[in-house]
Amino acid sequence: MSAASTQLIDGASGLPVEAQLHHAMTAKDLLLVERVWSAHRARLMASLLQAGVMRRDWPQSLHWDWSLKARELKLLVNSASGLVCQGEWQGLMITKTQPYQARLAGDLGRPLVYVDFLEVAPWNWPIPQLQQRARWKACGSVLLRHAVAQSKREGFHGRLGLHALPQAESYYERCGMTRVAVDATKEDLAYYEFGRNEAQHFLEGSMP
Amino acid sequence: MNAKRSMTLNLTDAEMAAVDELAQKKELSKTAVIRQAIRLYQMLDARMARGEKLFFEDEAAKKKAELMLL
C-alpha cells in the first residue's frame, strides 16, 4: 500500500490539515477499517433510534459493510483507496475499470472508471438530528479527484461513472457530474457521469 | 503505483488489426486495450468459477444466449 500527501479540512476550525491518501489497499486493510467503523455505526444507530429519527432520514450507507467488499480486491478490475488523518481512516473508495462504459453521447461506449463504493467515516457524516457535524471535511472530494486521476492514468481521459445514493445526488451535481438516468437495474439509483471536460473542470475547481 | 513489467507479444496481422481498431474506437492505447482485455477475462473467469453465468441478450429480437468461456 503506497500513500500520497493531501489535505482535509478540520470541521470545527475550517483549517486545512495534513492527510494521507492510500492506494492499492488490501482486503486486510478493509477488514481493519470496518472493525472501527462498524462499532461507530452501531453507536450512531442506537442514537438515531433513541432520538426517534425516522428511518428514511438515516444516513443511507449506515448498513454498508466494507468487510463484504474485501474479497473483490483479488480481481484486477477493482482497486481500493482510503484517506488517513490523525491516525484514523476518514474515507474509503472502491473503483472498477471494467465492465462499465460511458453513456454520455460524446463518449458513448468508451471505457471509464466506475466508482463502486465511496463512503466517509461515520463521524464525518453531518447528522443534524443528532447535532453531529463532520469532524473532517472534503474526504469525498479528495477521493473523487483521486478516481478522476486514476481514469486519466488508465488512458480513460478522466471519464468517470457512479450510481448515487439519493442523499448524495446533490453533492455529485455540485461536483459537475451529469445525471444520465435512473437505473432500474441498480435499485433505481440515479447514474451520474463525468465526461472528460467536466472531469478536468472538477480537477481544476476549488470545491473542497 | 504498481511497478510495471514489459513483455513481447506476438500477434497475427488480424489480431493486431483488431487491437488497432479497438484502440481507435475506444480512444485507448494498444497497451490499455490489452490491459482491459486481461482484466475482463480474469473477472469473467472468476465469476463463472463461482457458478455465475454470462449471457448476451438482444431485447429487440427477444434472443438470449449463454456465453461459454474457455
Side-chain angles (χ1 to χ4, degrees):
Chain A
M1 186 169 60
S2 52
S5 288
T6 186
Q7 284 188 332
L8 296 179
I9 296 169
D10 184 329
S13 68
L15 295 172
V17 286
E18 283 297 308
Q20 295 79 46
L21 177 61
H22 293 260
H23 21 92
M25 288 177 70
T26 63
K28 190 178 169 190
D29 296 326
L30 292 192
L31 295 175
L32 290 172
V33 177
E34 181 57 31
R35 196 188 304 172
V36 177
W37 287 16
S38 61
H40 205 91
R41 278 198 188 96
R43 285 196 293 274
L44 269 184
M45 199 180 291
S47 300
L48 288 163
L49 282 169
Q50 196 175 16
V53 179
M54 303 285 281
R55 288 208 176 222
R56 64 167 183 266
D57 296 325
W58 287 15
Q60 288 168 337
S61 65
L62 192 61
H63 64 288
W64 283 13
D65 183 343
W66 288 87
S67 67
L68 300 177
K69 311 176 197 314
R71 71 173 183 169
E72 298 297 325
L73 294 185
K74 286 186 211 154
L75 298 178
L76 295 169
V77 295
N78 298 313
S79 57
S81 312
L83 272 169
V84 172
C85 184
Q86 298 203 343
E88 288 184 307
W89 290 95
Q90 306 297 342
L92 289 181
M93 174 176 71
I94 291 180
T95 55
K96 288 179 179 288
T97 51
Q98 285 274 21
Y100 297 90
Q101 298 187 329
R103 299 193 204 173
L104 287 173
D107 286 317
L108 193 64
R110 290 183 174 144
L112 48 65
V113 165
Y114 176 80
V115 178
D116 205 11
F117 297 99
L118 191 161
E119 188 183 31
V120 301
W123 50 83
N124 290 324
W125 299 342
I127 308 177
Q129 300 92 329
L130 301 180
Q131 286 83 49
Q132 175 173 302
R133 295 162 63 183
R135 197 180 299 169
W136 306 107
K137 292 182 176 176
C139 302
S141 300
V142 170
L143 289 169
L144 201 59
R145 281 197 174 87
H146 178 60
V148 171
Q150 181 193 359
S151 171
K152 283 175 168 269
R153 277 198 312 279
E154 293 285 352
F156 302 167
H157 307 279
R159 287 187 292 261
L160 192 83
L162 58 85
H163 287 87
L165 293 171
Q167 286 172 346
E169 288 180 4
S170 63
Y171 167 76
Y172 292 118
E173 284 165 14
R174 288 199 306 279
C175 290
M177 297 189 83
T178 300
R179 184 186 174 100
V180 179
V182 171
D183 210 332
T185 63
K186 197 88 173 176
E187 300 167 14
D188 287 330
L189 295 178
Y191 174 74
Y192 285 84
E193 201 168 291
F194 266 143
R196 63 166 69 191
N197 293 333
E198 295 76 25
Q200 187 60 32
H201 193 252
F202 173 68
L203 281 184
E204 292 168 355
S206 58
M207 186 168 173
Chain B
M1 297 301 117
N2 293 334
K4 292 191 170 66
R5 296 170 65 182
S6 299
M7 68 175 284
T8 304
L9 200 59
N10 294 310
L11 299 177
T12 64
D13 286 347
E15 288 161 346
M16 186 58 92
V19 173
D20 280 333
E21 188 185 334
L22 278 167
Q24 194 171 6
K25 187 176 169 188
K26 300 291 181 182
E27 214 179 19
L28 290 171
S29 67
K30 283 186 261 192
T31 300
V33 168
I34 290 165
R35 194 176 284 142
Q36 284 289 81
I38 294 166
R39 290 165 173 169
L40 185 60
Y41 193 5
Q42 188 211 35
M43 182 188 72
L44 294 179
D45 185 59
R47 293 186 65 161
M48 292 174 89
R50 294 203 298 244
E52 295 181 58
K53 290 181 177 176
L54 180 64
F55 290 93
F56 280 121
E57 186 171 14
D58 183 339
E59 282 188 351
K62 302 226 178 297
K63 283 197 281 190
K64 194 173 181 181
E66 184 179 350
L67 186 72
M68 307 300 287
L69 272 194
L70 297 176

